[in-house]
Amino acid sequence: QVQLVESGGGLMQAGGSLRLSCTASGSIYRINTMRWYRRTPGKQRELVASITSGGITNYAEFVKGRFTISRDNAENTVYLQMTSLKPEDTAVYYCSADINLTWYQYNEYWGQGTQVTVSS
C-alpha cells in the first residue's frame, strides 16, 4: 500500500509565498516522476509542474518564474515552492507520483489534496 500525504496549504495574501510538501510512504521500490496538479471549481485539473527522478523539471506557463518544484529522493518527498502568489492560484493542489512497487510495474498514485487560497 502506498500513501501520498500533502501539507503546507493555507491562506495567503497576493504576492506572498507558500511551500507545499508531499511525502510518499509504503512498500516502495522506486519513485519516478512526481507532479503537482491543481483543480479549481468549474475547471479541469491542470498540471502545474513535474520533476523526474533525475531532477528534470517542467512547468506550466502560468507558473513559470514563480513556482519551483524540487524533490528529496532520500525522503520520498516532493516540494512546490510558490512565490508571487495570485488570486487565480487559488485551488486544491494535488501531488501524484509514478511509483514502482516492483521492478517491472508502476502505477500513478495521488495525494488527498491541499487547499491553497490567495486573497487579493
Side-chain angles (χ1 to χ4, degrees):
Q1 191 75 5
V2 172
Q3 276 193 316
L4 271 66
V5 178
E6 297 118 335
S7 62
L11 175 64
M12 178 56 64
Q13 286 190 327
S17 300
L18 281 173
R19 189 176 84 153
L20 306 182
S21 300
C22 172
T23 299
S25 62
S27 300
I28 296 170
Y29 177 78
R30 182 177 63 240
I31 300 178
N32 303 300
T33 299
M34 305 184 84
R35 307 173 188 87
W36 286 99
Y37 288 86
R38 70 187 188 187
R39 187 193 296 274
T40 55
K43 290 182 69 175
Q44 287 189 332
R45 182 182 62 203
E46 53 188 0
L47 179 63
V48 175
S50 65
I51 184 168
T52 68
S53 58
I56 297 172
T57 58
N58 272 294
Y59 296 92
E61 284 297 324
F62 53 80
V63 302
K64 277 185 179 178
R66 300 189 300 123
F67 291 8
T68 302
I69 189 171
S70 61
R71 62 191 286 172
D72 182 336
N73 290 330
E75 297 294 329
N76 290 342
T77 298
V78 63
Y79 303 97
L80 186 67
Q81 179 68 49
M82 305 185 293
T83 64
S84 301
L85 283 163
K86 304 175 181 180
E88 51 263 45
D89 293 319
T90 296
V92 178
Y93 284 73
Y94 300 87
C95 70
S96 81
D98 295 338
I99 297 177
N100 281 69
L101 303 186
T102 63
W103 67 268
Y104 57 87
Q105 184 179 18
Y106 74 88
N107 292 301
E108 186 175 22
Y109 294 87
W110 291 84
Q112 81 286 354
T114 186
Q115 177 71 47
V116 171
T117 302
V118 183
S119 63
S120 56

